[in-house]
Amino acid sequence: MAVKSDDPIFPISVAAKLLGVHPRTIRIYEDEGLISPSRKGQKRYFSNDDIEWIQCLRHLIHEQGISIPGIKKLLDLSPCWEIKGCPMEKRVKCSAYQDRTKPCWERANTACSKDLDHCSSCEVFLQAMKEAKASNAQEAANQ
């Protein structure tokens, strides 16, 4: 049985060793909302896709000189289909691609929203939910 690139198979210690970083570095990326590893209980597991994304982040930070806040801003400005790597045949069916005024998960008739379990692994969706929770918590604190 072949391992798919999105199968979470590496614990954080192995992921850190593959990347040549301390596990704390990976946790920082997670705390900053740049990665969202799979979890089994309290343990984090990473896929080959996750490893590739972290390598990309490290390239942006260390070779391109982009700060973590800068990367977060770039991700906020990038459409979900670019981050998720949706193929053109899926994009043309997606109303978020056709009309870019709302993200895909806010539309009832999109290809993405019909399969909402993908939202749970979509970085754009997860970041939006994190921001909404923080906003709600701030509003509650102000009242």
Side-chain angles (χ1 to χ4, degrees):
M1 182 165 93
V3 175
K4 295 185 297 185
S5 66
D6 63 346
D7 287 341
I9 56 173
F10 304 113
I12 194 168
S13 60
V14 174
K17 185 147 183 105
L18 289 169
L19 292 161
V21 300
H22 192 277
R24 180 71 192 126
T25 302
I26 297 174
R27 286 189 208 99
I28 290 169
Y29 296 158
E30 182 182 9
D31 293 344
E32 291 291 338
L34 295 173
I35 60 172
S36 182
S38 295
R39 288 189 177 261
K40 293 176 186 164
Q42 294 294 316
K43 296 188 182 238
R44 296 168 178 85
Y45 287 88
F46 298 84
S47 67
N48 281 314
D49 289 346
D50 294 328
I51 300 297
E52 188 175 317
W53 173 241
I54 295 169
Q55 287 172 328
C56 178
L57 290 173
R58 299 208 34 88
H59 172 78
L60 291 172
I61 293 166
H62 296 286
E63 275 95 59
Q64 299 296 317
I66 302 174
S67 66
I68 288 177
I71 292 171
K72 290 167 72 173
K73 187 66 172 173
L74 288 172
L75 291 173
D76 285 344
L77 298 173
S78 297
C80 60
W81 58 86
E82 286 183 7
I83 293 172
K84 289 177 65 177
C86 293
M88 188 52 73
E89 57 270 10
K90 186 172 180 180
R91 290 182 193 187
V92 296
K93 297 176 191 172
C94 180
S95 64
Y97 180 74
Q98 296 166 3
D99 174 11
R100 301 171 189 178
T101 60
K102 289 184 181 178
C104 58
W105 61 87
E106 290 182 2
R107 300 169 181 274
N109 61 342
T110 65
C112 295
S113 68
K114 290 177 183 168
D115 198 7
L116 286 175
D117 62 321
H118 289 313
C119 288
S120 65
S121 63
C122 172
E123 292 88 356
V124 178
F125 175 77
L126 294 171
Q127 183 63 31
M129 294 302 102
K130 184 177 177 180
E131 289 171 6
K133 286 178 187 176
S135 176
N136 289 340
Q138 183 63 36
E139 287 176 15
N142 291 337
Q143 292 178 355

